[in-house]
Amino acid sequence: MREPQVAQASLADTGYGGTPAGPAQVLIVDDSVVARSVLGRMVEGTRRFRVAAAYSDVRAALDYLKTHSVDIILLDIEMPGIDGITALPDVIAAGRGAKVLIVSSAAEQGAAVTVQALALGAADTLVKPGIGAFGGRFAEVLEERLSRLLEAQAHAHAQPEPAAQHPHYQFPAQAPEGFDLVAIGASTGGIHALSQLLRAIPASFQVPILVTQHLPVSFMSYFATQLAVLGGRPCEVAVDRMRIRPGRIIVAPGDAHLRVVRTSDGAAIRLSHEKAASGCMPSVDPMFESVAEVFGSRALGVVLSGMGRDGCEGARDLCDAGARVLAQDRASSVVWGMPGAVANAGRASAILPPDEIGRLIARGGGGA
């Protein structure tokens, strides 16, 4: 294959270069020559993907991205010099829309570094096995992850812009007034969006915030800890009958839907395990549906980056109850499936980047 026109030292023993237009282009960044070789063979063994280049360090990869475009970047975390976590924001920016898949032995389920990578904008993570454990099953999983990211990217580009006649679509947006609860739904790319949204809300903000984020159970403890830091307020993983209190964040556990019920002195959480129409566990729809029942027009719904349509039906319930729903815009979403579904159904009061959604929430601030 033809070698890319970049510094030769950074291409040492990759064996890969540019390929003709057609298959999706993959950039590999890993300090291990064995890992680069094995990952490269696996990528080349698929019909849909080709290795554009492979590098042993981040600086060389960033130089390559200045003059080349790729679809997906496989990024290791533990590397000498600039590690993958430190470099991730720069890699995402340089990739100009390329999806970043973290492939690292440090990316265990529940590992703090995994949630940190997702918060910084990685599209997905995959545990890299030991050198002697690379096998057929890992190759299948890698191809499945690559295919999922490519399809999500194609879906996002194919989504039409919201029609101007949608009754709830307004831009620029005015701050929603008089809400007593914020309910946020998110999936792929949602942790990064949540971090941007929460940073825009001052610590003095007292309206309680509920979050349903599609994540496995093993991630939830660290996820809640991270949201507490980002939001400057206590954050807890929901347990059954937990009371909803001012100035707090409550996140759905990974194995149950978060629902809201009335109590004699306010509202509380009830967890449920029924099958949701979206197929997700937890699902945004049951949360939105129950929030609409309990808080009515005094609720505010938010739908952030995510694949699929989860939250769209619940957004209808919120709109029918007189509540407003804010959706993340396509340009800032890793996947514009969930917010795009809400926008195109005419259920979004405004479509904005997550930091602007956060500022809008802060300006609304609840009240009587």
Side-chain angles (χ1 to χ4, degrees):
M1 283 178 282
R2 182 174 55 83
E3 203 170 67
Q5 298 302 307
V6 293
Q8 297 304 303
S10 64
L11 274 174
D13 51 33
T14 65
Y16 297 104
T19 57
Q25 302 295 298
V26 177
L27 172 64
I28 300 173
V29 188
D30 194 306
D31 65 309
S32 165
V33 61
V34 176
R36 293 198 304 276
S37 176
V38 173
L39 289 171
R41 286 198 300 271
M42 290 179 176
V43 171
E44 292 286 326
T46 70
R47 295 184 178 182
R48 301 181 65 188
F49 303 94
R50 292 292 181 270
V51 176
Y55 293 94
S56 61
D57 67 270
V58 170
R59 288 188 180 90
L62 292 175
D63 285 341
Y64 176 81
L65 290 170
K66 290 178 182 177
T67 55
H68 297 76
S69 295
V70 298
D71 300 289
I72 296 173
I73 300 169
L74 305 186
L75 179 65
D76 189 18
I77 290 178
E78 298 172 323
M79 292 184 289
I82 304 175
D83 64 270
I85 291 295
T86 302
L88 184 54
D90 290 335
V91 171
I92 291 172
R96 301 185 301 278
K99 305 299 183 187
V100 178
L101 172 62
I102 297 293
V103 183
S104 172
S105 57
E108 295 285 349
Q109 281 199 357
V113 70
T114 303
V115 179
Q116 187 179 6
L118 294 170
L120 289 171
D124 204 349
T125 64
L126 179 61
V127 178
K128 181 173 65 178
I131 296 302
F134 276 109
R137 177 56 186 156
F138 178 80
E140 292 174 6
V141 173
L142 176 62
E143 183 173 4
E144 184 272 330
R145 296 292 179 87
L146 292 173
S147 298
R148 187 165 63 186
L149 292 180
L150 189 64
E151 288 162 7
Q153 193 173 47
H155 177 73
H157 289 308
Q159 282 281 1
E161 292 290 352
Q165 65 267 27
H166 284 171
H168 296 284
Y169 179 59
Q170 300 171 6
F171 190 92
Q174 295 181 345
E177 298 178 358
F179 54 89
D180 298 325
L181 182 84
V182 179
I184 302 173
S187 187
T188 307
I191 298 181
H192 180 51
L194 264 170
S195 68
Q196 294 177 307
L197 184 155
L198 290 173
R199 286 192 184 103
I201 299 176
S204 59
F205 184 81
Q206 288 298 296
V207 176
I209 299 172
L210 306 183
V211 176
T212 291
Q213 163 77 51
H214 298 160
L215 280 175
V217 176
S218 55
F219 283 106
M220 287 306 174
S221 178
Y222 181 75
F223 178 54
T225 300
Q226 185 181 54
L227 290 190
V229 173
L230 292 170
R233 69 200 67 236
C235 178
E236 302 168 281
V237 179
V239 296
D240 203 35
R241 302 183 188 278
M242 175 184 283
R243 290 188 59 191
I244 298 174
R245 299 179 179 178
R248 293 175 177 265
I249 303 171
I250 300 175
V251 300
D255 57 355
H257 306 304
L258 186 160
R259 287 184 173 273
V260 177
V261 295
R262 292 185 183 89
T263 62
S264 59
D265 57 350
I269 299 299
R270 292 305 307 266
L271 300 181
S272 66
H273 301 84
E274 75 277 8
K275 183 176 180 180
S278 66
C280 300
M281 177 63 78
S283 171
V284 180
D285 285 324
M287 177 180 69
F288 279 177
E289 175 190 3
S290 63
V291 166
E293 291 175 357
V294 175
F295 285 88
S297 63
R298 304 287 300 180
L300 178 66
V302 178
V303 182
L304 301 176
S305 176
M307 193 179 301
R309 294 177 52 85
D310 190 24
C312 189
E313 297 309 307
R316 179 187 57 195
D317 295 323
L318 286 170
C319 290
D320 289 346
R324 292 195 176 190
V325 178
L326 308 178
Q328 184 174 351
D329 70 324
R330 180 167 61 183
S332 67
S333 297
V334 171
V335 182
W336 206 56
M338 286 168 54
V342 171
N344 286 300
R347 296 166 188 167
S349 300
I351 302 168
L352 301 162
D355 57 338
E356 292 188 33
I357 291 176
R359 288 192 286 271
L360 204 63
I361 290 171
R363 291 203 301 271

